[in-house]
């Protein structure tokens, strides 16, 4: 007699309800340093809470920067964040009072420690640990509530790409994106500097002619920026992994976006306005002022999180082990040999497409199922390993025109 096993039911999503109506899939206490001079004190505070949801973020610079201020405010009020401790030296240029007020206005507990006014390192660390302990007790009493897939914001990025990335992991994420968008989720893909040559493909998918032209202009800006810097988004490791040209890499990166219409361009800190596919512009406006726009994958993950991403799908062929503070990172591995070598760090084996063990559609469905489970509370591999990487640098952006704004939800 043949026994038929019924497929398991999709994971029931749940989240933490915030005052603005959004829901977070994690309930994290963020400890944020306002300048590098306060980094050590903030880290000692966080180190007192191993294996607990206490994450370290911060801005190293002393001079103020509108981009950094905007991103920090968005991170401190992200749905995955439940409480915030700000650690200040006392003489930096960062507007800690503005960040604190933004957090307070969002209904979250917030506290600021100023080292120069708090008797130095030891007293500040003791004070910070006491407050974080109190905040964890407050958050422990919050219960998860039901959450729909349409309330999720999911982002994607690729890193450590090789010749398999564009034929397995990246298009599998594209399939997952199309499924998530059909279910009402907002999805964000990024790195205009890595999409050079694909701008007219994206233009044809834009929901308005104005947006289509803005996409072309945004990619042209990125190409010009990289030309001035003398280096594009192509690393020696990409070549070692079998990628031959920037164009080949761009097409592979483009595959992550799937086939859904593009409904808006975001700049770091802009929020999605409903279901649909959004392009994140990560290249600063104007002439280069702050160096390379994407000094590491984690800088872009931070920008995606600042746009509201609950989860980031990270595709890699050669292998990347990074995670992130605040929002979980799901690793989708393109290369079956890399997956076997770095199995502890990888969540999804998209290399099974290459070996004929699975189809593109099956791996796309596997990614969506894992997104559901992670949103319901299951930890990713990077979370289990304690990865909480974070990078926030200087940049400068101007507001986009009305024709580039995401369409408002009906």
């Amino acid at each position: 007699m043949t026994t038929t096993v019924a497929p398991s039911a999709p994971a029931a999503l749940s989240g933490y309800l915030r005052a603005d109506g959004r829901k977070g899939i994690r309930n994290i206490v963020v400890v944020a340093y306002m300048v590098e001079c306060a980094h050590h004190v903030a880290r000692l505070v966080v180190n007192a809470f191993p294996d607990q949801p206490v994450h370290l973020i911060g801005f190293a610079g002393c001079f103020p920067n509108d981009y950094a201020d905007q991103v920090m405010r968005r991170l401190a009020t992200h749905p995955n964040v439940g409480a915030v401790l700000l650690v200040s030296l006392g003489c930096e240029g960062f507007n800690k009072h503005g960040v604190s007020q933004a957090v307070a206005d969002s209904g979250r507990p917030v506290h600021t420690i100023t080292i120069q006014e708090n008797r130095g390192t030891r007293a500040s660390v003791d004070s910070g640990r006491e407050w974080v302990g109190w905040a964890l007790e407050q958050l422990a009493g919050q219960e998860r509530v039901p959450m729909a897939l349409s309330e999720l914001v999911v982002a994607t990025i690729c890193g450590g790409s090789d010749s398999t990335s564009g034929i397995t992991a990246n298009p599998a994420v594209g399939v997952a994106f199309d499924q998530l968008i059909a279910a009402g989720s907002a999805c964000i893909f990024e790195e205009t500097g890595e999409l050079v040559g694909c701008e007219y493909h994206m233009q044809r998918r834009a929901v308005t002619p104005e947006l289509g032209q803005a996409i072309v202009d945004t990619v042209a800006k990125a190409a010009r920026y990289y030309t001035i810097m003398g280096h594009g988004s192509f690393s020696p490791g990409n070549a070692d992994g079998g990628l031959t040209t920037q164009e080949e890499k761009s097409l592979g990166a483009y595959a992550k976006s799937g086939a859904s219409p593009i409904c808006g361009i975001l700049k770091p800190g802009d929020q999605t306005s409903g279901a649909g596919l959004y392009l994140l512009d990560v290249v600063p406006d104007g002439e280069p002022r702050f160096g390379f726009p994407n000094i590491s994958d984690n800088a872009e993950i931070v920008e995606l999180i600042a746009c509201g991403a609950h989860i980031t799908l990270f595709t890699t062929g050669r292998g990347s082990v990074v995670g992130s503070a605040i929002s979980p990172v799901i690793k989708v591995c393109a290369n079956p040999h890399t997956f076997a070598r770095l199995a502890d760090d990888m969540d999804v084996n998209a290399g099974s497409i290459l070996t004929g063990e699975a189809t593109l559609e099956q791996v796309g469905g596997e990614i969506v199922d894992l997104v559901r489970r992670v949103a319901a509370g299951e930890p990713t591999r990077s979370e289990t390993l304690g990865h909480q990487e974070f990078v926030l640098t200087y940049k400068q952006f101007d507001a986009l025109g009305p024709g580039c704004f995401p369409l408002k939800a009906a």
Side-chain angles (χ1 to χ4, degrees):
M1 183 176 69
T2 303
T3 302
T4 302
V5 179
S8 59
L13 274 64
S14 61
Y16 298 95
L17 181 62
R18 306 304 181 193
D20 63 4
R22 295 185 297 171
K23 295 170 186 172
I25 63 170
R26 299 292 185 267
N27 209 15
I28 291 162
V29 177
V30 157
V31 178
Y33 55 90
M34 301 288 93
V35 65
E36 184 63 22
C37 309
H39 188 165
H40 181 65
V41 167
R43 183 175 297 281
L44 290 178
V45 172
V46 172
N47 287 349
F49 300 93
D51 302 320
Q52 296 191 60
V54 182
H55 291 193
L56 178 68
I57 69 173
F59 180 61
C62 191
F63 298 103
N65 178 249
D66 290 341
Y67 156 83
D69 183 79
Q70 159 88 329
V71 170
M72 186 65 76
R73 291 180 189 225
R74 293 301 192 188
L75 296 173
T77 57
H78 188 279
N80 289 353
V81 174
V84 178
L85 174 67
L86 304 179
V87 183
S88 161
L89 176 62
C91 54
E92 67 276 358
F94 204 100
N95 183 6
K96 63 185 177 186
H97 302 294
V99 176
S100 177
Q101 189 61 54
V103 178
D105 290 344
S106 75
R108 292 166 173 80
V110 60
H111 180 63
T112 301
I113 292 173
T114 302
I115 299 168
Q116 291 171 347
E117 300 172 3
N118 201 51
R119 304 186 313 281
T121 298
R122 286 192 178 88
S124 297
V125 171
D126 290 343
S127 178
R129 288 173 175 174
E130 181 180 359
W131 190 87
V132 169
W134 171 86
L136 286 171
E137 290 179 0
Q138 301 303 305
L139 298 185
Q142 295 182 4
E143 295 184 359
R144 299 180 75 106
V145 300
M147 183 175 180
L149 201 60
S150 59
E151 296 177 275
L152 271 185
V153 180
V154 182
T156 188
I157 183 174
C158 50
S161 301
D162 70 5
S163 58
T164 68
S165 297
I167 56 178
T168 61
N170 289 0
V173 166
V175 169
F177 260 25
D178 289 339
Q179 292 182 19
L180 289 165
I181 291 166
S185 300
C187 293
I188 311 171
F189 70 113
E190 48 62 60
E191 228 222 296
T192 47
E194 199 166 278
L195 293 167
V196 174
C198 300
E199 58 267 35
Y200 297 106
H201 298 294
M202 294 187 287
Q203 183 184 34
R204 288 191 290 270
R205 293 169 57 191
V207 295
T208 66
E210 294 83 2
L211 177 60
Q213 185 58 51
I215 290 172
V216 172
D217 294 343
T218 297
V219 176
K221 178 191 70 171
R224 183 171 62 253
Y225 198 105
Y226 279 118
T227 298
I228 293 171
M229 295 302 295
H231 184 75
S233 184
F234 194 92
S235 71
N238 296 149
D240 291 343
L243 287 170
T244 60
T245 63
Q246 175 69 58
E247 289 78 9
E248 183 183 5
K249 185 180 182 185
S250 294
L251 286 169
Y254 173 72
K256 301 197 306 297
S257 67
S260 300
I262 301 172
C263 66
I265 297 176
L266 303 174
K267 295 198 177 188
D270 289 343
Q271 303 296 286
T272 60
S273 58
L277 180 65
Y278 299 81
L279 171 64
L280 175 61
D281 175 14
V282 302
V283 177
D285 295 327
E287 296 302 308
R289 299 173 59 191
F290 304 113
F292 290 108
N294 315 313
I295 64 172
S296 74
D297 294 324
N298 278 94
E300 292 178 47
I301 293 176
V302 167
E303 292 176 329
L304 291 165
I305 297 171
C307 291
H310 293 91
I311 295 170
T312 299
L313 305 176
F314 192 128
T315 67
T316 183
R318 290 179 60 85
S320 174
V321 301
V322 301
S324 179
I326 299 177
S327 292
V329 171
I330 292 174
K331 292 290 180 40
V332 183
C333 187
N335 190 317
H337 301 297
T338 303
F339 185 85
R341 188 170 62 252
L342 299 176
D344 285 347
D345 290 275
M346 301 295 138
D347 296 281
V348 177
N349 180 16
S352 59
I353 299 168
L354 208 59
T355 59
E357 299 170 85
T359 66
L360 196 61
E361 289 70 25
Q362 286 173 328
V363 175
E366 181 183 349
I367 293 168
V368 172
D369 180 62
L370 183 54
V371 165
R372 285 180 172 274
R373 301 200 319 264
V374 170
E378 180 178 319
T380 65
R381 294 297 182 94
S382 63
E383 286 183 289
T384 300
L385 292 166
H387 283 283
Q388 296 176 14
E389 287 83 356
F390 183 89
V391 177
L392 177 58
T393 62
Y394 284 96
K395 284 188 181 182
Q396 194 66 45
F397 289 92
D398 296 323
L400 285 168
C404 311
F405 288 144
L407 294 182
K408 296 297 181 183

